[in-house]
Structure formats: C-alpha cells, structure tokens
Amino acid sequence: MPVYITFENDTMMAKIIGDIDHHTAKDIREDIDSALFDHKPKVLYLDYKEVTFMDSSGIGLIMGRYKQMQLLEGELRVINVSAQLKKVMRVAGLDKLAVIEGNK
Amino acid sequence: MKCINEMSLTFPSKSSNEGFARVSVSAFFSQLDPTVDELADVKTAVSEAVTNCIIHAYKDRIGLVYINARIFEGGKIRIKIRDKGCGIADVAQAMEPMFTSCQGGERAGLGFAVMQSFMDKVTVISRVGKGTTVTLSKTIKSRGMADD
C-alpha cells in the first residue's frame, strides 16, 4: 500500500510511502481522493517523510490535491519534505502554492 | 573528449520500468563517487525522460526505450534516452514549462523543466514518426574521480 490515511477531527493525514513517479502516482491519487470525498476534511496533510523519490509526477499529485482542497474550501499542507524533493517542487513554484514544511 | 566507461539498457516502455531505469543509471554513475544530491538529480532527470517515452512517444503501444550512459574524463557524464515513437512536431513548445499534450490526468507539463534545472545541458532531437533522442549532460564534481 503506497499511502496510509488517518483522520483526526477535521484533519486528514495521508502518509505516502516509497517512490512517487508516473507508475505509482495513479494509485496514490485514487486512494487519497477516495478518502477525501468520503470525509471532506478541512485540512489535508500530505506527509512526505517516507517518500524515497519524486519526479514531476509528484508535482501533479500536489497540484491536483490543492485543487480538490480548494473545492472543499479547505487547506493543503505538505510536510516533512526533504531538500531534494523541495528542489523538484520549486521548479513548479509549488512552494508558493501550498504550505510546504520541513520537519513536523 | 575521451570516454572512460559506458553502459546501455534496452527495455519495453512499461511504466513498471521507470524505477528500474533511473536506479540502473544512477548505480552506473555511482563509480564517480557523486554526492547524494548529484545522484538524485540524475535519477530525477532520467525518470522524466523515460516517462516521456512511455506516455508520449509510445502513447497507445509498447515500444523499446534505449538508454546509453557514458562517463568522460573530468567527471563529465552523458545520458542518451532514445525511442522510436511518434516524435515531437514542435520541440520548443514541448519544452515550455506547464505545456502538456495530456488531456485529463494530472501531468504537470514540467518534465523538460525538471531535466533542465537538474542537469547542465538538455538537448532534444526529434523527427515526427521516427522518434526522439534526449541527451542529458552534467559534470559530477566528485569527491574522487574514477579514471581507471
């Protein structure tokens, strides 16, 4: 299972495990979206602590979830992002779009 | 420029090979004793180029992806990623950040932008109906040099 999902009040935490590429992104996206629409949280945390690799497929994943949270009038927070993953996110200007935090 | 070492890989354009391709290429360059960041840069750029072959070049079929990786003197590396797929009609447009020909899905259109920011040089040669070759170049500022 590439993503572990937990809830606390209005907050949903999605912990992504392993590599995020074009091959894995689809399953990760479907798991998160299905939980998102069942529970309609106010805050979605994407936890990148256990992410071992990310290419631009990971950017699509974040942009897509950002749009979903806008529809839910909620907020997206991306946490535990390593320096290398931040570098990929900066290419897309994602650091301006969502709240990206180092360690939590 | 003298080539010190090289390797080639050929595999079908299945998405399950994306991880295999980037890990194999980075394993080959590990003999240059690169930093973790340098190796991650190469892995990411290779992943983007191989993904392009899979989702664009061979959009509706499985074809072969060819990788040739070379090490030159002075820590210079060059990776050629080639396909015999549909080709790109307008390379300049394909390389524009945020441009994507994918309808639906969640492709960010940033593959070439990532390659360009993670490598020193990216060149693309494409012929419609014949295929595309992406060449990625970088100098590894190694802690040590593999010269034998």
Side-chain angles (χ1 to χ4, degrees), chain A residues 19-25 29 33 52-65 68 83-85 87-89 91-93, chain B residues 14-19 22-23 36-38 40-41 43-44 47-48 51 54-55 98 105-111 113-114 117-118 138:
Chain A
D19 290 4
I20 305 176
D21 62 12
H22 156 253
H23 181 65
T24 60
R29 180 173 74 223
D33 283 359
T52 43
F53 171 84
M54 183 183 106
D55 65 13
S56 70
S57 308
I59 296 173
L61 188 79
I62 294 172
M63 284 167 62
R65 304 298 73 62
Q68 305 286 26
Q84 183 67 26
L85 298 186
K87 207 169 151 184
V88 179
M89 291 177 185
V91 175
Chain B
K14 297 180 176 185
S15 64
S16 53
N17 283 328
E18 290 162 7
R22 64 176 175 261
V23 170
V36 172
D37 284 353
E38 284 172 330
D41 286 354
K43 259 172 103 170
T44 311
S47 193
E48 300 293 352
T51 302
I54 292 169
I55 61 180
M98 314 300 269
E106 288 190 348
R107 303 303 308 163
L110 290 169
V114 168
S117 64
F118 283 35
K138 192 178 180 73

Side-chain angles (χ1 to χ4, degrees), chain A residues 3-4 6 10 13 16 18 23 35 47 61 72 78 83 87 96:
Chain A
V3 52
Y4 287 95
T6 51
D10 278 347
M13 174 78 80
I16 303 167
H23 181 65
D47 186 350
L61 188 79
L72 293 174
V78 185
K87 207 169 151 184
K96 297 181 189 80

